[in-house]
Amino acid sequence: MLIHKVVKSSITNNIIALLCFFFFLLGTEAKPPNVIIILTDDQGSVDAGCYGSKDLITPNIDSLATRGIRFTQFYSAAPVCSPSRAGLLTGRYPIHAGVPGNTTSQKGKPGMPGEQITIAEHFKAAGYKTAHIGKWHLGYIPEHMPNQQGFDYSFGHMGGCIDNYSHFFYWQGPNRHDLYRNGKEIFEDGKFFPDLMVRETCEFIKNNQDSPFLIYFALNTPHYPYQGEAHWLKQYKELAMPRKLYNAFVSTQDARIGSLLHYLDEVGLRNDTIIVFQSDHGHSTEERAHFGGGNSGPYRGAKFSLYEGGIRVPAIISWPSKLTEGKEINQLAHSCDWLPTLAELANIKLINNKIDGKSLAPLLLGKENKSPHEILHWQVGRNKNSQWAVREGEWKLIGNVRDTSNPPAKNSAPPAKLFLSNLKKDPGEKQNFAKVFPQIVSRLMEAHELETNK
């Protein structure tokens, strides 16, 4: 009888131990990673220290590269603001996302169609808390504003740009105030907008750190007006105009990124957070940007152009607990890729797969060493004179070329109806090979037409 009791007791204790271990595993199941997407505005192709800039101080962007993976052939979805953002948020080429060009900054005007499914909607469906902080520029009617596009929380401006202290949009009349929280106009007169962004983001993290969160941190810098801090203007005073104005604004921006990273460290979330960094497209050479200031390095073109300087952008991903640090990826990648990539890294099943982006997770994790893209497409606008481009391997064909370089690229051929470049031999796109290789032109034109008609 005693032996029976001992055996029974032993079995009971083992069962209890197993149940305790089971519930321990349930209780310690890894929480999905947080995600922060940092999108800068009009930052040049090589405008960060980690991209080779010799006259820019960007320690915080550089630290992301040190603690993450830096891309050298990364492309934005478009060379202008709204379609670039639509591509990133939906994982679809802008012409498929219903935003082929810039949406208007006028109040009451539509933008990205509501039926488009954003990364916020995908992650929200998986239990994430979602926030838009900063610039939107994808519509000014309620159903096209952030709260109706999957974001639980929204703070920022809905148009293309604002003065960072008055928060007014001055560049197309009538002048108007443009600062909103969850669709309602608010006033923060005299407060520096990038500081407000950091404040709002840290508060959102504080209130939601017990659940996974996704934050779209869409900076309006270094987009004009150049409003860098005084000490940075002093730092760069020996540089020529407008580079010194632009640099001061980039370093001011970098300091705000640093404040955000510092807060993540402070609350112990840095290792559990995937951070994506990217510029929305190349730097501006518009009059309102003093005709330049940014740097596209060896590449021709700038904002509005499908030459490399308009669409090849700095891009970094960092997740210290999971991804290799200090790595460089030279394969082709595209901003539409972030949605499927982040979903795979976070083990999230997409609501649907009607996207053009490809997951970069195999590249990031070292399981593949080639790009998921055999071909990439761009188009700005929908008429017969719209600028478009196709890249396949080392070849890139641009149709209805627009060159926004300032000054124009040295020793370069003038813009043409069709411009075929070989990026391996001529990364500066100075030579047009269209007449030399008509069969390649025909093949890429056919690929463009097939994509456009989908």
Side-chain angles (χ1 to χ4, degrees):
M1 179 66 71
L2 181 60
I3 294 173
H4 175 72
K5 287 182 178 180
V6 170
V7 171
K8 184 177 179 181
S9 174
S10 177
I11 292 172
T12 301
N13 289 339
N14 287 338
I15 291 172
I16 292 171
L18 285 171
L19 286 172
C20 289
F21 182 66
F22 174 73
F23 286 117
F24 171 78
L25 288 177
L26 285 178
T28 58
E29 184 178 352
K31 189 181 80 170
N34 307 307
V35 176
I36 299 177
I37 300 170
I38 300 174
L39 186 69
T40 63
D41 197 356
D42 292 13
Q43 185 170 348
S45 305
V46 298
D47 278 328
C50 58
Y51 277 88
S53 178
K54 302 299 184 185
D55 65 350
L56 256 174
I57 301 170
T58 56
N60 297 294
I61 295 173
D62 299 345
S63 74
L64 284 174
T66 300
R67 298 196 67 190
I69 297 173
R70 184 177 71 91
F71 291 86
T72 63
Q73 287 198 84
F74 195 97
Y75 289 98
S76 63
V80 66
C81 294
S82 297
S84 173
R85 290 155 203 278
L88 184 151
L89 289 174
T90 66
R92 309 186 76 192
Y93 290 138
I95 56 170
H96 298 158
V99 189
N102 260 352
T103 61
T104 179
S105 292
Q106 296 284 351
K107 287 185 179 181
K109 297 295 182 181
M112 185 168 68
E115 62 266 22
Q116 298 296 327
I117 301 175
T118 69
I119 190 170
E121 290 171 288
H122 289 288
F123 275 68
K124 186 175 181 177
Y128 275 66
K129 300 296 184 182
T130 58
H132 149 261
I133 308 290
K135 174 174 173 174
W136 182 242
H137 205 188
L138 284 170
Y140 237 130
I141 60 176
E143 54 266 39
H144 293 169
M145 290 166 72
N147 295 113
Q148 298 301 314
Q149 299 276 20
F151 291 100
D152 297 313
Y153 186 81
S154 171
F155 171 86
H157 62 97
M158 299 298 107
C161 55
I162 55 170
D163 174 85
N164 284 287
Y165 295 94
S166 69
H167 315 132
F168 266 71
F169 179 90
Y170 289 116
W171 293 273
Q172 179 185 343
N175 297 334
R176 58 199 175 276
H177 181 259
D178 187 3
L179 186 62
Y180 290 82
R181 179 182 285 117
N182 294 327
K184 295 182 179 180
E185 188 174 15
I186 63 168
F187 294 86
E188 296 268 11
D189 300 352
K191 296 178 182 177
F192 190 49
F193 182 69
D195 283 339
L196 295 178
M197 286 183 60
V198 173
R199 182 196 73 187
E200 295 285 322
T201 303
C202 293
E203 189 68 19
F204 182 82
I205 293 171
K206 179 182 177 181
N207 294 334
N208 293 281
Q209 59 185 299
D210 292 334
S211 63
F213 56 78
L214 178 141
I215 299 172
Y216 172 49
F217 188 76
L219 286 154
N220 64 325
T221 55
H223 191 291
Y224 55 77
Y226 295 157
Q227 293 178 304
E229 293 174 294
H231 72 95
W232 286 116
L233 288 167
K234 183 178 180 180
Q235 174 74 37
Y236 294 117
K237 66 180 181 180
E238 302 301 325
L239 296 180
M241 281 283 288
R243 182 67 175 173
K244 61 183 177 182
L245 296 181
Y246 174 88
N247 280 22
F249 211 18
V250 172
S251 289
T252 299
Q253 163 192 281
D254 183 81
R256 273 63 195 175
I257 293 172
S259 296
L260 178 55
L261 296 177
H262 176 75
Y263 184 75
L264 285 174
D265 286 331
E266 190 176 274
V267 296
L269 292 177
R270 181 69 178 87
N271 287 341
D272 302 320
T273 303
I274 303 172
I275 299 176
V276 164
F277 171 87
Q278 184 205 314
S279 175
D280 65 344
H281 47 66
H283 70 283
S284 174
T285 55
E286 299 164 84
E287 180 179 5
R288 292 174 293 213
H290 304 268
F291 302 104
N295 187 4
S296 59
Y299 309 118
R300 185 177 183 178
K303 180 180 179 181
F304 298 114
S305 174
L306 286 173
Y307 281 123
E308 292 289 282
I311 53 176
R312 189 183 287 216
V313 294
I316 300 165
I317 183 169
S318 175
W319 187 12
S321 64
K322 298 292 183 181
L323 297 179
T324 303
E325 297 190 12
K327 184 178 178 180
E328 185 178 282
I329 287 181
N330 300 310
Q331 290 85 351
L332 290 181
H334 188 275
S335 62
C336 288
D337 298 336
W338 288 132
L339 192 157
T341 300
L342 293 169
E344 183 171 345
L345 292 176
N347 198 27
I348 289 175
K349 186 176 181 180
L350 298 180
I351 297 171
N352 68 43
N353 291 314
K354 293 181 178 178
I355 59 175
D356 299 298
K358 309 288 185 184
S359 177
L360 301 171
L363 262 179
L364 297 172
L365 297 169
K367 297 177 180 178
E368 293 281 349
N369 61 4
K370 66 177 183 177
S371 171
H373 297 285
E374 293 184 1
I375 194 165
L376 287 172
H377 296 269
W378 295 266
Q379 180 167 323
V380 185
R382 284 193 179 277
N383 60 55
K384 65 179 182 179
N385 295 317
S386 295
Q387 190 184 187
W388 57 270
V390 179
R391 177 165 179 185
E392 181 187 58
E394 63 194 55
W395 295 104
K396 178 178 158 195
L397 180 67
I398 309 176
N400 301 315
V401 179
R402 182 178 181 185
D403 187 0
T404 53
S405 305
N406 188 22
K410 293 180 180 179
N411 304 318
S412 60
K417 189 74 174 175
L418 292 170
F419 193 103
L420 179 68
S421 57
N422 185 299
L423 294 174
K424 185 177 181 180
K425 297 178 180 177
D426 178 27
E429 295 175 292
K430 297 176 181 178
Q431 185 175 355
N432 187 353
F433 291 94
K435 293 181 179 179
V436 182
F437 298 102
Q439 72 280 10
I440 296 177
V441 171
S442 296
R443 185 177 76 245
L444 296 183
M445 283 186 69
E446 182 179 353
H448 163 68
E449 289 165 5
L450 285 172
E451 188 66 33
T452 304
N453 294 326
K454 277 186 179 180

